[in-house]
Amino acid sequence: MNEIEITRRGEIAVVMVDNPPVNALSQAMRAALLSAADALDRDDAVKAVVLACAGRTFIAGADVREFDLPPLEPHLPDVIARIENAEKPWIAAIHGTALGGGFEVAMGCRFRIALESAAVGLPEVTLGIIPGAGGTCRTPRLAGVETAVKLAVGGRPLGARKALEAGLIDAIVEGDLVAEAVAFAEKALQQPLPAKTSARPIAAIDEAFWSEAEKDKAKPGYRAPLAALSSIRFATENPFDAAMLNERGLFLELRASDEAAALRHVFFAERSAARPAALKTVEPRPLKSIGIVGGGTMGTGIGAAALMAGYPLTLIERDEAAVARGLSAIEAVLAGAVRRGKLTAAKQAFLLEGLAGTTDYQALSACDLVIEAVFEEIAVKRAVFAELDRVCRADAVLATNTSYLDPRRIAEGLSHPERFIGLHFFSPAHVMKLLEIIPVPETADDVLATGFQLARALGKIPVTSGICEGFIGNRILKRYRAEAEQLVRRGVAIAEIDGAMRDYGFKMGPFETQDLSGLDIAYLQREGARSEGQDVPETLGDILVRAGRKGQKTGGGWYDYREGERKPVVSSEVAALLQPRIEASDALDRTAIADHLIAAMADEGRAILAEGIAAKPEDIDLVKIHGYGFPRHRGGPMFAS
Ligand code: 3H9
């Protein structure tokens, strides 16, 4: 089938778009829509046109793959203008998601109807651009300025019910969408048609609204949200044609920006990470229930994520008190989700029915997957897996959440090593998106595929990592911190380094982050390695920990902290402690500092690729963005350098 097919139902023509996977508006599709509008206007037997889509969704937007090329004719604003000015009214019949250019097409139609399960939105800002085919000009005319700001500046889609309330769509229908749309069209033809969207007036809005929105929507490092806001404002204060020209100018400018290129890179990286080509034909193992061993921060975070994704969960701890603590930590996460409106009380009650805790490993005998999240000590972990080997079904997947031990050593002695895998979650595990998936040499493909299936179900971004110290993420973190310390040795001020990384887009610099999470964990790891005879050079962090400066929790680390405050204060004690190690007085500006540290991360990333630890540079970018706060609009260290 071509991109579109036209059929007739009496006097109503049905234009069926079919451009898998998501009906994106490729150049060929735009051309096909344009010629359909011409042909249907010429056909006197047609009185109205239904625009519907085959497959899983209505048009999901412009074809983002085309954004690296010069814009190709016919341009989408012209196609939409042609539909809007057609002699016969067009009715958009929406299922799935009408997003970006897809919703702009729908707004060019005279009517929009949707299934209850559908959603509409203008997510362009998430790609570093603004709507470029009338989104900021037609939305305020259709549904008012506030809804336009919510949609185009916020970037989040609205479900059909809310879209109906806001006036973005005209009706919600059930059952056969196309048949309903045809019936809607026949009825609509009996009455006077409403004005075209572009011809509708916009209700006036207070000056205060704009200044408030500007403050509210500003996002450091991101140009698109405020550009979308200014485009909406221009559209409310100027004639439609002028507004369209203004929007197009801004759209084209942003489309060519570094921010948009980086966000596109991340968009496609995320999609390709979720479904690795090598596993396309591999069926994952059934996954209906999950067990967790270890009720600490990691175990309960993973448990809460699994429970909220709908998996019945069994938590194992050493004694009853620890079981109770673990269960209440999980319950607290769900209660928080209810408070924030992410979960209804009824759903919470339903999910909690699936939660159990015990000291008895036998309770795991029916679980499809058990994740170990106990203390990072090889003997402790091995003891857990010996128990799991004994009680779990032979086909159940057994996973370790180790962050730095060698999973091959943990798996030694297992009777079915092919079902063993590393699943490295990040803290807090119900929030952080990254999941490093670490197969051992024996791991079966369907076990690996199960790891990816779990990631999808939990809404995580999965990345396969080979085995090395720290896997992908912590290995690069170690290098980043070491390079940051190296700059301190060269005489660069600690606060300047943190400031440089904040200016770059991180929420916190490397030293502030260590103060928050504690310097002692990495210190103890180094000490452990030293006690095993490894040659681990002394770090500046070691000097601070030995002086009792473990971070915020001890009132000081790389900075001082005033009682009860989290604001870092430059420390004269730290300056004195480190003075003997300062070798130079280099003057680097903040850009040079950030460039240096990003280059170091990328350099480590290249080594990781060369060793086959990561499969592709995009995976490394995803690890840093979703696990380590790397600014998304910079695209990740590999993209950025
Ligand atoms: C825009 O419209 C600009 C206009 O205002 C102005 C123009 C002038 N293009 O996410 P999935 C691919 S900007 C190209 O896994 P799901 C995706 O890469 C656009 N390809 O599916 C993947 O490919 P593969 C505004 C796209 O069911 C496959 O489709 N629109 C596009 O989980 C499946 O994707 C958006 O930002 C695209 N636009 O979710 C919407 N979208 O199979 C972006 C997807 O080779 N898309 N692909 O890996 C989405 O949010 C989700 O894809 C959607 C489906 C919710 C639609």
Side-chain angles (χ1 to χ4, degrees):
M1 183 172 165
N2 295 323
E3 279 73 17
I4 67 170
E5 188 176 69
I6 302 175
T7 53
R8 289 277 300 278
R9 302 214 185 169
E11 292 184 316
I12 314 298
V14 176
V15 172
M16 183 63 74
V17 169
D18 191 4
N19 186 22
V22 296
N23 292 314
L25 287 153
S26 61
Q27 190 269 343
M29 198 167 114
R30 296 195 300 275
L33 279 173
L34 201 55
S35 60
D38 287 341
L40 292 168
D41 265 359
R42 283 195 302 270
D43 187 341
D44 290 337
V46 171
K47 300 288 181 248
V49 181
V50 165
L51 174 66
C53 292
R56 63 188 198 239
T57 178
F58 192 79
I59 302 165
D63 189 336
V64 178
R65 285 173 215 277
E66 285 183 2
F67 285 3
D68 289 322
L69 309 167
L72 298 169
E73 287 189 340
H75 301 307
L76 190 57
D78 301 332
V79 175
I80 296 174
R82 180 69 190 82
I83 291 174
E84 189 175 49
N85 292 314
E87 285 166 28
K88 333 282 165 73
W90 283 50
I91 294 103
I94 301 171
H95 77 291
T97 40
L99 296 177
F103 189 54
E104 289 173 307
V105 169
M107 284 195 288
C109 294
R110 204 61 75 99
F111 300 98
R112 289 145 295 284
I113 69 165
L115 292 180
E116 175 100 48
S117 55
V120 304
L122 296 169
E124 283 86 344
V125 289
T126 64
L127 291 165
I129 54 174
I130 68 165
T136 64
C137 309
R138 285 194 178 85
T139 316
R141 288 180 158 77
L142 196 59
V145 171
E146 290 181 34
T147 299
V149 169
K150 203 181 274 175
L151 223 58
V153 183
R156 284 227 191 98
L158 280 184
R161 189 57 55 192
K162 289 212 165 116
L164 180 68
E165 282 162 19
L168 290 164
I169 60 172
D170 302 293
I172 293 180
V173 296
E174 280 175 34
D176 182 337
L177 179 60
V178 172
E180 290 293 331
V182 169
F184 185 97
E186 284 164 347
K187 223 160 140 195
L189 287 172
Q190 312 301 317
Q191 290 149 26
L193 291 176
K196 296 168 190 166
T197 311
S198 62
R200 297 186 194 185
I202 302 181
I205 193 122
D206 281 3
E207 177 62 36
F209 173 83
W210 297 113
S211 42
E212 204 47 45
E214 260 168 41
K215 264 191 271 153
D216 194 39
K217 304 294 178 188
K219 201 169 161 196
Y222 292 79
R223 284 178 60 202
L226 288 187
L229 187 67
S230 87
S231 187
I232 295 171
R233 181 169 190 171
F234 190 93
T236 64
E237 294 168 354
N238 292 278
F240 182 78
D241 289 346
M244 286 297 288
L245 277 178
N246 177 66
E247 180 194 79
R248 185 77 182 164
L250 276 171
F251 164 76
L252 289 175
E253 190 188 323
L254 286 170
R255 181 186 186 271
S257 68
D258 291 346
E259 172 187 338
L263 291 170
R264 279 201 294 281
H265 164 77
V266 180
F267 174 85
F268 286 117
E270 285 171 347
R271 267 136 193 102
S272 86
R275 294 177 192 84
L279 296 176
K280 269 213 167 103
T281 56
V282 181
E283 193 61 34
R285 293 190 180 188
L287 186 50
K288 294 209 173 68
S289 59
I290 296 181
I292 302 273
V293 183
T297 311
M298 284 314 296
T300 54
I302 300 167
L307 197 64
M308 285 195 289
Y311 292 105
L313 185 86
T314 305
L315 177 74
I316 301 288
E317 254 295 354
R318 269 176 308 193
D319 54 54
E320 293 301 337
V323 170
R325 272 197 306 276
L327 292 179
S328 62
I330 294 175
E331 285 161 9
V333 173
L334 268 69
V338 173
R339 269 199 308 281
R340 286 193 306 280
K342 306 251 175 225
L343 194 67
T344 63
K347 183 88 189 279
Q348 175 197 30
F350 172 76
L351 294 175
L352 286 176
E353 278 174 29
L355 176 64
T358 170
T359 55
D360 181 4
Y361 275 74
Q362 204 60 45
L364 300 174
S365 61
C367 285
D368 297 315
L369 163 69
V370 180
I371 304 171
E372 162 279 308
V374 302
F375 194 62
E376 285 281 274
E377 206 174 291
I378 192 85
V380 181
K381 292 200 185 269
R382 278 196 183 145
V384 168
F385 281 99
E387 281 297 297
L388 296 179
D389 209 23
R390 197 173 57 77
V391 299
C392 292
R393 287 196 329 261
D395 63 338
V397 175
L398 304 185
T400 175
N401 176 55
T402 185
S403 51
Y404 67 89
L405 295 175
D406 185 335
R408 289 167 300 200
R409 289 184 61 209
I410 300 174
E412 270 169 27
L414 276 185
S415 57
H416 296 282
E418 74 284 353
R419 60 163 161 166
F420 181 85
I421 193 159
L423 294 177
H424 184 205
F425 288 84
F426 290 72
S427 186
H430 59 285
V431 176
M432 298 295 284
K433 287 256 173 231
L434 178 64
L435 177 62
E436 280 182 326
I437 299 185
I438 306 127
V440 295
E442 294 85 358
T443 302
D445 278 355
D446 62 348
V447 171
L448 189 56
T450 311
F452 280 87
Q453 193 201 4
L454 175 76
R456 273 196 297 279
L458 268 50
K460 304 288 180 205
I461 305 284
V463 171
T464 308
S465 172
I467 298 171
C468 65
E469 197 195 312
F471 311 123
I472 298 172
N474 280 341
R475 175 163 158 185
I476 295 179
L477 177 68
K478 190 171 168 186
R479 172 78 182 271
Y480 171 51
R481 288 184 172 169
E483 291 290 339
E485 283 202 5
Q486 199 51 38
L487 288 180
V488 175
R489 288 177 198 268
R490 283 169 57 186
V492 183
I494 292 167
E496 274 304 288
I497 298 171
D498 280 335
M501 301 320 283
R502 268 188 273 108
D503 288 356
Y504 186 79
F506 283 84
K507 287 232 162 62
M508 296 175 96
F511 299 112
E512 295 160 333
T513 311
Q514 287 179 66
D515 274 359
L516 182 67
S517 56
L519 280 68
D520 46 334
I521 302 164
Y523 168 79
L524 288 175
Q525 270 172 33
R526 289 190 293 272
E527 284 291 277
R530 286 172 190 134
S531 71
E532 284 174 12
Q534 290 179 39
D535 177 22
V536 181
E538 181 185 63
T539 69
L540 300 183
D542 291 341
I543 297 171
L544 299 185
V545 174
R546 287 191 193 118
R549 303 186 63 96
K550 296 180 188 168
Q552 285 189 22
K553 61 186 170 189
T554 58
W558 293 96
Y559 296 93
D560 293 339
Y561 295 86
R562 298 204 179 94
E563 183 91 30
E565 286 185 21
R566 289 177 156 226
K567 190 169 166 286
V569 178
V570 171
S571 167
S572 52
E573 186 187 332
V574 169
L577 280 167
L578 301 185
Q579 187 49 46
R581 313 299 155 108
I582 310 297
E583 296 147 7
S585 54
D586 284 1
L588 290 185
D589 67 22
R590 287 190 170 189
T591 307
I593 294 170
D595 287 350
H596 178 84
L597 293 180
I598 302 302
M601 284 189 206
D603 186 55
E604 194 66 33
R606 280 186 289 276
I608 282 171
L609 284 170
E611 292 166 32
I613 301 293
K616 43 192 193 310
E618 300 91 286
D619 284 353
I620 296 177
D621 287 338
L622 290 179
V623 166
K624 297 320 284 182
I625 289 170
H626 289 292
Y628 297 84
F630 197 100
R632 186 179 176 92
H633 68 284
R634 300 281 190 176
M638 309 310 287
F639 179 83
S641 41

